Amino acid sequence: MEPGKDVSLDEFHEWYGNEHIPLRLESLPEFRSAARYKVTGAVFPTNAVSTSEVKAPGWAAMYTISSNAIFADRAYTRLRDERSAREADIFARIAVVDRRAYRLVYDSDLDARIHSPARHNLRPQTKDEIERESRYVVAHGVETDDAQEYAKWFDEEHAFLLSKVPGWTRSRRFELVDNGVVGHAADKQGRDAKEVPKFLAVHEYTNDQPESTQEYKAACDTEWRARAMGPNGERIVKRERKTMQLFRAYDPISAMQEK
């Protein structure tokens, strides 16, 4: 999200942290983790139609959810249909809301070469765990002209090599299920949502400078990566990259109270 000039940061943080997130974590056990991040950098194709506010929103929230079916459940839809007057007012003034739902297709936690199986496996991830393991996140959206080659490279080589980077804790790859971009800074024809790449890789670190290490550079400079992405990235159809610093993590209250 990008609050924009019509929503102050104090107002934005107070609403999101004390109303928007608690409504989900306190009543929906499907929400297994929640964390908010400050976006520290963003790279987009130069031909993207998005405005600067849409391209690089200042804030992000990431949730791990046990099933995307919750989005059609009344327990979730009522949060939108019965939103408070304050939330409705903020949504009317906010510059950008870029919402995306993904399906998990690869998780290094389940890769026996890297971790013992089922290190997380969708169990509730606590605030303390997130603060310890996910202080810096790289979110890399990409779509190439050969999805199978990209997936094979990522799952069989890239995640494994990144696991050697000092401070690395986890890599996951997702496939886009649904998304939308709204707000007064968003394109009125809906073109912003169409620019979102089909796949998203999320890499988590305990430090904020993994890119400076030799291990990171080696993971991003292999023959297989060159084949998957093409010379000078010629096989890339869509791309975006964001770096984020942890702002605040939350305990998934309802999920932690499951019996």
Side-chain angles (χ1 to χ4, degrees):
M1 292 186 179
E2 173 53 47
K5 60 181 178 59
D6 296 326
V7 179
S8 73
L9 272 182
D10 287 344
E11 181 183 20
F12 175 69
H13 290 318
E14 202 285 326
W15 156 70
Y16 204 97
N18 297 319
E19 177 181 344
H20 192 75
I21 281 185
L23 282 174
R24 287 148 181 79
L25 299 186
E26 293 175 7
S27 61
L28 301 173
E30 289 83 1
F31 280 68
R32 317 302 286 186
S33 72
R36 297 184 64 208
Y37 292 86
K38 176 75 176 76
V39 178
T40 56
V43 176
F44 284 79
T46 56
N47 60 348
V49 301
S50 303
T51 67
S52 59
E53 288 179 289
V54 176
K55 284 183 184 179
W59 301 93
M62 295 177 59
Y63 308 93
T64 298
I65 299 168
S66 59
S67 172
N68 279 332
I70 186 61
F71 296 126
D73 192 286
R74 181 58 184 162
Y76 178 83
T77 60
R78 70 174 179 80
L79 298 179
R80 179 188 63 236
D81 298 339
E82 301 172 8
R83 60 177 39 145
S84 70
R86 174 172 70 164
E87 181 161 296
D89 176 57
I90 287 178
F91 268 86
R93 292 184 283 124
I94 202 165
V96 178
V97 179
D98 181 350
R99 177 188 175 276
R100 309 178 187 185
Y102 293 91
R103 178 177 63 87
L104 180 66
V105 290
Y106 170 87
D107 190 339
S108 63
D109 281 350
L110 304 178
D111 190 331
R113 301 171 305 162
I114 301 173
H115 288 306
S116 59
R119 190 170 72 105
H120 287 300
N121 199 24
L122 287 180
R123 67 173 174 78
Q125 191 177 11
T126 67
K127 172 179 179 288
D128 289 343
E129 287 174 323
I130 295 172
E131 290 177 342
R132 183 172 63 249
E133 300 177 4
S134 306
R135 294 202 297 269
Y136 180 76
V137 170
V138 177
H140 191 188
V142 68
E143 193 170 325
T144 71
D145 60 12
D146 189 339
Q148 289 185 334
E149 180 69 9
Y150 165 77
K152 188 174 177 64
W153 161 73
F154 186 97
D155 299 357
E156 297 183 16
E157 179 186 77
H158 192 54
F160 178 75
L161 291 179
L162 283 178
S163 72
K164 308 299 182 182
V165 176
W168 174 95
T169 57
R170 180 164 61 163
S171 288
R172 290 176 291 171
R173 185 170 62 83
F174 301 86
E175 183 174 352
L176 189 67
V177 173
D178 182 53
N179 72 304
V181 183
V182 298
H184 62 72
D187 179 72
K188 301 306 184 244
Q189 281 74 48
R191 290 178 295 174
D192 296 322
K194 294 178 182 178
E195 291 180 1
V196 174
K198 183 177 181 180
F199 296 106
L200 174 70
V202 177
H203 309 287
E204 301 169 48
Y205 299 88
T206 61
N207 62 74
D208 61 358
Q209 294 183 323
E211 296 96 337
S212 66
T213 66
Q214 289 301 120
E215 292 87 347
Y216 185 93
K217 294 172 184 176
C220 297
D221 186 22
T222 68
E223 292 183 6
W224 196 350
R225 183 187 185 279
R227 292 198 307 271
M229 301 298 184
N232 300 314
E234 291 174 5
R235 304 192 71 173
I236 297 174
V237 179
K238 299 177 184 177
R239 184 189 180 198
E240 64 176 37
R241 185 180 188 274
K242 292 180 179 135
T243 57
M244 301 181 286
Q245 292 274 6
L246 182 66
F247 176 69
R248 183 179 173 187
Y250 302 79
D251 282 324
I253 303 300
S254 186
M256 293 172 66
Q257 293 172 346
E258 283 185 320
K259 298 188 180 183

